[in-house]
Amino acid sequence: MSAKQAIDLKKTAIDWLGILPFLLFAVMFLIAPTLYLVTGAFLNPAGEFTFDNISGLFTDKILASYWISIRVSLASSLGGAFIGFFLAWAVVLGGLPSWIRSSLLTFSGVASNFAGVPLAFAFLATLGRTGLVTLLLRDWFGINLYATGFNLLSFIGLTITYMYFQIPLMVLIITPALDGLKKEWREAAEILGATNTQYWLKVALPILFPSILGTTLLLFANSFGAIATAYSLTGSTFNIVPIQLYAQIRGDVLHNPNLGYALALGMIVITGISNLIYIWLRMRAERWQK
Amino acid sequence: MSFLELAGIQKSFGPVQVVHDFDMTIEKGEFVSFLGPSGCGKTTVLRMIAGFETPSGGTIKINGKNQESLKPNQRNIGMVFQAYALFPNMTVHDNVAFGLKIAGMNKAAVDARVKEMLGLIHLGHLADRFPYQMSGGQQQRVALARALAPKPQVLLLDEPLSALDAKIRVSLREEIRMIQQQLGITTVFVTHDQEEALSISDRIVVMNSGRADQIGTPFDIYNKPATRFVASFVGTLNLIEATVVDPASNRISIGDQAITLREPLGPVKAGDTVSLALRPEAGSIAESAKGDTALTGQVVSSNFLGSVIRTRMKVGDPVISFDMFNAPGLSPPAVGDVVTLRFTASDLLIIRE
Amino acid sequence: MKTQKIGAWIAVLFGASYFIIPLIATFEFSLRMRRGEYSFDAYRSVFSDVQFRESFSYSIVMAILTIVFGILLVVPTAYWVRLRLPQMRPFVEFITLMPLVIPAIVIVFGYLRLYNSSSFIPFTGSARGTDLLLMFSFMTLSLPYMYRSVDTAMRTIDVATLTEAAQSLGASWPTIMFKCIFPNVMSGVLSGAFITFAIVIGEFTMPSLLNRPAFGPYLQLIGANRAYEPPALAIIAFAITWASMALLQLVSRFSKSAPSKP
């Protein structure tokens, strides 16, 4: 009996030993750094517990940077999801030639990974003050884009730029979901008297809802944490949270290291909340799934 | 006037014509099966009735009304699909209620009708389940209830049983037939399974490469197949090549044995070959068996199939199978035995192309 | 039906112009260096820049190291979880998805505080140490993609049966791992590797905050100081991403037809 117990114990130990490297990695490079920041957000420089850092976030400047970050992320994720969904719909159900579908998917695979600094360069060359589109609009149509109040280094400019990788990401994730819509569902709805609109509202969209929502929230988190594109577009003049945090890490511009931790905590909380909303809504929407 | 009229229906997909000159009239309350192998055009005809395909030619009338200009959602037709096609995001109740809600029925009336329909298929207790929580047979019954709920004028069943287990298939087809008779709904049933078609139809259309080979009651189709295709597709059949001995007296020979047919041979001459069909259950080797005709042959195999024993005997070149019912105490013929099969000459059908 | 098709064409045309116009514009801009005529001067200038070559090769070496160590971490873990610890799968999957939820800048912020020169593991105390930390941070970034593609590949082969078959033939654990498991999940490993490559080459935040001379920070530096080289670099970066993805497609297409071979 005890010998058997000893063998079982040894077996369990070996089982756990197998993923020890992974656990060690996770603790050292994901969990510990995150926890360090989270606890740091509640400590003062002397190491005592305090809410000062959290309340320190509620200044106009920091709140404004969170607000612009959330707006850009929301706009680019909703816009990306919306346009991406229509593109995927067009190639899956729009009756287009099949080469369009394969080209779009291949291109999306590339474009969804084309982010960061080079993307900023591309949009500067397109919609910057001497960008091609800006010049063409001026020379061909007599429209002075920048006189209309447009600025690439602004909310609208950043949103348009981010959508360059958001749209393809949506296309990549939602296309398989659209493929999963069975032809018979449409026919069954149709023969029961439903119009095309009724089919989409009552059958297709509810079925797609978890995927659409999940991808939109993924897109939100994706742009909320992004910094490279914005930083090279605007330098540090455009105060989205990641740029604020970047400046804080480089030079303690807030003059309080623990306030920096609180800034990071705020980012984790927002992406965390968006994920919790996703999990919650998905569970509600997935009652009918296995 | 018939309830459902199909006249001169044609359908081509590109250069391929899949339905040729299909004519058919179906009476109100009738249960008609389209029977044929896959690719014979039976599903295409069904989908044209539903409105999912547009005929290349011909007319479809339901209750005297031309259907051409109507979309599927304007035809008031019920349809059950092979793969159930229940909406996965809705409960059983909501699936059945779908057509009713679309029609704008109020909630109380919807609930009452759903309850009635679920009672009809004996699944009232599963109203709150989702499709994935049910077996295939249950899902298909729900699909039937969903199709019937809005009181359609015609019910179309597109191979509804072929995804199910053998046992469920039999019980569900009986249930379908019972419900159909109870409601008196005009029904078109598509299947490739001849036993299914024979067991539940009022009439059967046997289809072969886009054409209706024969339209008739199950009894006619089985006992008087009009073409070689119908004869070979429906049931098990001996197809025997015989030589004409004397056309005037209807004498022919099978192997080395001459017999007289009841049916006139038609314009053939001595020495010609004719094809004859004989059902395995038509004859008997019992001494006491009645019959005006007999063939003697040597047993080459004898297989026990449960309720029957199927024996094959060689009469010269041709091999003829016959069935005898199993009974305790029966000794089946052994290989090498010489037996005499007695049957009525009128059971021997001449197959013309 | 007709309006649906028109709508589909409009969507595709809109999407295509959204995707392609910036590329054309970038390319056009990159040719403008010589006044009054188009030339490849910007590209010549980029390729002759010593810093370009140094930072680019630094990033390539980092990418390769990240891929190698990433594979060594992910493949045995995914294998072991499938084989012996299936109850841990939700937890392990949650961990591997964390880098998608926690922004990269937050993670690297944590590293800087936790592993600075005065801490008990002073990664950032030396250049080599920082390189090591940077590699680990790249591994973290690519973890979601790597784990997913390897785990997906493992789902298609029956890991348990394969292992038992190997054990019954007397194979040792290293033999099982390198001779049985690795070759069979190669398609997943490779697709994970190409995505990792694309991520590492372009990554800005981590090397920038860790002060290492990688390609991302170099791009940013050029962008801030030059006019015509940045679009040329954007075109080069796009070509690199395209090449990684093309290789990925090639591998997945090849491996789909491969299993029938002995």
Side-chain angles (χ1 to χ4, degrees):
Chain A
M1 187 68 188
S2 66
K4 192 179 171 292
Q5 270 177 343
I7 289 172
D8 280 356
L9 206 68
K10 198 177 154 204
K11 201 164 165 281
T12 316
I14 289 177
D15 281 357
W16 285 98
L17 217 61
I19 61 164
L20 192 66
F22 178 79
L23 291 179
L24 200 68
F25 180 85
V27 167
M28 275 183 74
F29 297 107
L30 273 166
I31 296 167
T34 311
L35 279 181
Y36 185 89
L37 296 181
V38 171
T39 48
F42 294 98
L43 298 175
N44 64 17
E48 291 152 350
F49 180 84
T50 174
F51 278 115
D52 285 355
N53 304 315
I54 306 297
S55 55
L57 289 178
F58 292 84
T59 63
D60 285 350
K61 194 179 171 220
I62 293 178
L63 282 182
S65 71
Y66 273 109
W67 181 229
I68 187 78
S69 265
I70 290 173
R71 273 171 58 211
V72 168
S73 303
L74 260 183
S76 75
S77 58
L78 289 177
F82 194 75
I83 298 171
F85 179 81
F86 270 100
L87 274 176
W89 165 83
V91 295
V92 175
L93 299 165
L96 300 179
S98 64
W99 64 267
I100 292 192
R101 178 197 164 109
S102 51
S103 337
L104 180 73
L105 288 182
T106 310
F107 190 88
S108 297
V110 178
S112 62
N113 280 299
F114 185 65
V117 186
L119 180 64
F121 296 166
F123 270 82
L124 279 171
T126 310
L127 288 168
R129 281 180 189 280
T130 56
L132 187 66
V133 171
T134 315
L135 295 183
L136 289 184
L137 281 176
R138 189 193 66 197
D139 296 348
W140 291 2
F141 304 101
I143 300 169
N144 187 343
L145 199 57
Y146 276 77
T148 63
F150 174 84
N151 188 349
L152 191 57
L153 320 182
S154 69
F155 163 72
I156 184 77
L158 203 57
T159 304
I160 291 176
T161 310
Y162 277 7
M163 267 157 64
Y164 196 84
F165 59 81
Q166 301 279 51
I167 295 172
L169 201 55
M170 179 73 179
V171 169
L172 285 183
I173 304 180
I174 212 71
T175 298
L178 278 169
D179 281 332
L181 286 179
K182 286 194 193 139
K183 195 184 83 191
E184 285 90 354
W185 291 335
R186 167 185 283 279
E187 292 182 347
E190 224 177 327
I191 202 85
L192 288 165
T195 60
N196 191 38
T197 315
Q198 283 170 323
Y199 160 72
W200 275 97
L201 289 182
K202 287 170 191 271
V203 181
L205 284 177
I207 289 173
L208 292 173
F209 178 68
S211 321
I212 293 177
L213 189 80
T215 316
T216 310
L217 285 159
L218 183 74
L219 299 188
F220 178 85
N222 194 23
S223 59
F224 190 78
I227 168 170
T229 309
Y231 188 72
S232 17
L233 264 183
T234 69
S236 43
T237 56
F238 197 68
N239 260 327
I240 57 172
V241 184
I243 288 185
Q244 187 100 309
L245 184 57
Y246 185 83
Q248 163 68 13
I249 297 170
R250 294 227 100 163
D252 193 13
V253 291
L254 300 173
H255 309 295
N256 177 357
N258 292 72
L259 191 52
Y261 301 158
L263 206 57
L265 176 67
M267 291 184 78
I268 298 174
V269 166
I270 287 171
T271 53
I273 285 176
S274 89
N275 272 274
L276 282 179
I277 294 173
Y278 166 57
I279 291 167
W280 179 66
L281 283 173
R282 192 174 171 115
M283 262 166 22
R284 280 195 40 179
E286 276 189 352
R287 278 174 309 160
W288 45 272
Q289 285 182 336
K290 261 167 262 192
Chain B
M1 187 183 61
S2 296
F3 191 68
L4 174 58
E5 292 175 70
L6 308 172
I9 302 292
Q10 313 272 349
K11 180 67 186 175
S12 304
F13 291 114
V16 189
Q17 187 161 7
V18 291
V19 177
H20 305 262
D21 294 318
F22 190 89
D23 291 304
M24 166 107 218
T25 56
I26 299 173
E27 302 304 321
K28 193 164 175 65
E30 203 180 2
F31 192 115
V32 172
S33 293
F34 291 176
L35 173 65
S38 62
C40 71
K42 56 189 192 298
T43 298
T44 310
V45 174
L46 193 81
R47 290 173 62 81
M48 285 192 281
I49 300 174
F52 295 134
E53 309 284 354
T54 316
S56 316
T59 53
I60 298 173
K61 283 186 187 170
I62 299 177
N63 204 5
K65 194 171 174 222
N66 217 319
Q67 301 289 305
E68 256 141 76
S69 56
L70 297 181
K71 286 181 182 160
N73 56 13
Q74 297 164 330
R75 293 193 181 192
N76 191 19
I77 285 177
M79 184 157 171
V80 174
F81 298 83
Q82 178 174 348
Y84 326 134
L86 292 180
F87 305 128
N89 58 322
M90 298 180 199
T91 59
V92 167
H93 175 280
D94 292 348
N95 262 286
V96 177
F98 186 84
L100 305 171
K101 285 183 189 159
I102 294 280
M105 208 185 257
N106 71 48
K107 195 180 175 305
V110 168
D111 287 347
R113 179 74 178 152
V114 169
K115 206 166 175 204
E116 183 191 340
M117 294 318 295
L118 291 182
L120 195 66
I121 56 164
H122 312 294
L123 287 179
H125 58 294
L126 298 182
D128 294 327
R129 291 265 177 101
F130 284 97
Y132 80 91
Q133 295 166 311
M134 298 192 300
S135 71
Q138 290 173 329
Q139 288 189 53
Q140 199 57 296
R141 277 149 76 192
V142 174
L144 182 68
R146 181 179 68 177
L148 290 171
K151 301 190 176 156
Q153 31 179 2
V154 176
L155 176 65
L156 306 176
L157 305 166
D158 186 8
E159 305 229 12
L161 305 172
S162 55
L164 302 172
D165 296 340
K167 272 206 173 142
I168 310 258
R169 215 149 52 203
V170 173
S171 67
L172 188 55
R173 86 177 179 221
E174 281 160 8
E175 202 172 334
I176 289 176
R177 176 59 161 164
M178 238 163 62
I179 290 171
Q180 184 267 333
Q181 284 176 327
Q182 201 177 327
L183 301 177
I185 185 169
T186 313
T187 302
V188 180
F189 176 80
V190 161
T191 181
H192 61 265
D193 184 326
Q194 41 108 1
E195 189 193 322
E196 244 168 60
L198 291 171
S199 65
I200 61 174
S201 318
D202 291 318
R203 279 194 299 157
I204 295 175
V205 184
V206 182
M207 291 191 66
N208 179 22
S209 32
R211 291 192 169 80
D213 262 29
Q214 187 174 4
I215 301 177
T217 62
F219 196 78
D220 280 347
I221 297 279
Y222 190 82
N223 292 309
K224 294 178 200 147
T227 65
R228 175 193 287 267
F229 174 79
V230 175
S232 62
F233 191 74
V234 181
T236 318
L237 193 78
N238 289 296
L239 268 179
I240 309 159
E241 299 293 306
T243 313
V244 177
V245 176
D246 176 16
S249 62
N250 281 337
R251 288 291 277 177
I252 53 111
S253 72
I254 294 171
D256 50 356
Q257 299 166 39
I259 54 175
T260 305
L261 295 180
R262 196 69 55 83
E263 221 179 321
L265 269 168
V268 291
K269 53 184 191 298
D272 282 359
T273 305
V274 292
S275 297
L276 302 174
L278 182 69
R279 296 285 180 199
E281 66 271 24
S284 166
I285 56 165
E287 295 283 335
S288 58
K290 286 195 209 124
D292 51 14
T293 310
L295 285 169
T296 303
Q298 196 171 26
V299 173
V300 289
S301 71
S302 185
N303 296 312
F304 182 59
L305 302 178
S307 60
V308 297
I309 296 160
R310 177 159 297 170
T311 307
R312 297 169 74 233
M313 69 171 186
K314 213 167 156 66
V315 182
D317 268 344
V319 174
I320 298 175
S321 306
F322 59 87
D323 291 348
M324 49 203 286
F325 281 111
N326 176 38
L330 183 89
S331 57
V335 173
D337 285 0
V338 172
V339 293
T340 299
L341 181 70
R342 293 180 175 79
F343 55 95
T344 313
S346 58
D347 288 338
L348 207 50
L349 301 169
I350 301 170
I351 301 293
R352 303 166 208 278
E353 294 317 309
Chain C
M1 208 61 196
K2 200 87 191 267
T3 50
Q4 186 179 334
K5 203 161 183 176
I6 295 169
W9 275 110
I10 292 174
V12 166
L13 287 180
F14 175 81
S17 23
Y18 199 110
F19 289 148
I20 292 169
I21 289 176
L23 291 179
I24 297 173
T26 310
F27 186 62
E28 194 267 350
F29 205 109
S30 72
L31 300 180
R32 283 194 217 163
M33 195 166 182
R34 204 177 292 176
R35 203 162 284 268
E37 58 172 323
Y38 285 145
S39 71
F40 285 99
D41 285 3
Y43 295 86
R44 221 164 287 143
S45 155
V46 165
F47 287 123
S48 63
D49 185 353
V50 181
Q51 258 191 311
F52 166 79
R53 276 177 270 156
E54 280 176 1
S55 64
F56 193 61
S57 28
Y58 177 85
S59 279
I60 286 188
V61 172
M62 286 309 288
I64 292 170
L65 288 174
T66 306
I67 289 166
V68 170
F69 283 91
I71 290 170
L72 286 177
L73 177 73
V74 165
V75 176
T77 305
Y79 167 74
W80 201 248
V81 168
R82 277 200 171 266
L83 189 70
R84 303 295 281 272
L85 293 167
Q87 73 274 19
M88 288 295 287
R89 261 190 72 177
F91 171 76
V92 172
E93 267 173 17
F94 173 77
I95 295 280
T96 59
L97 290 176
M98 267 177 76
L100 291 182
V101 180
I102 302 174
I105 188 167
V106 172
I107 294 176
V108 76
F109 188 21
Y111 294 171
L112 284 169
R113 290 293 173 268
L114 210 53
Y115 302 122
N116 60 38
S117 46
S118 57
S119 74
F120 61 105
I121 313 174
F123 274 121
T124 56
S126 65
R128 281 288 151 268
T130 315
D131 285 343
L132 198 63
L133 183 62
L134 184 59
M135 188 198 77
F136 282 124
S137 61
F138 285 149
M139 278 169 68
T140 312
L141 274 190
S142 61
L143 190 62
Y145 307 97
M146 200 60 152
Y147 193 88
R148 254 192 102 105
S149 42
V150 169
D151 198 52
T152 310
M154 258 178 211
R155 192 184 314 152
T156 57
I157 63 166
D158 189 350
V159 173
T161 316
L162 210 62
T163 307
E164 279 165 18
Q167 277 176 324
S168 73
L169 294 169
S172 62
W173 281 112
T175 314
I176 293 174
M177 203 66 230
F178 287 100
K179 293 246 165 92
C180 302
I181 303 300
F182 263 106
N184 277 302
V185 295
M186 211 52 197
S187 66
V189 169
L190 282 175
S191 46
F194 289 121
I195 297 177
T196 305
F197 186 82
I199 292 173
V200 171
I201 291 293
E203 175 60 20
F204 163 74
T205 320
M206 290 187 160
S208 162
L209 286 174
L210 289 173
N211 268 322
R212 296 308 297 152
F215 192 52
Y218 166 78
L219 286 176
Q220 198 276 329
L221 189 74
I222 294 293
N225 298 309
R226 304 275 188 86
Y228 300 102
E229 282 85 349
L233 281 166
I235 292 291
I236 294 170
F238 191 82
I240 295 169
T241 317
W242 189 279
S244 323
M245 293 303 130
L247 282 172
L248 192 154
Q249 292 241 325
L250 208 67
V251 164
S252 57
R253 207 165 299 165
F254 173 72
S255 62
K256 250 173 228 155
S257 56
S260 57
K261 278 199 279 185

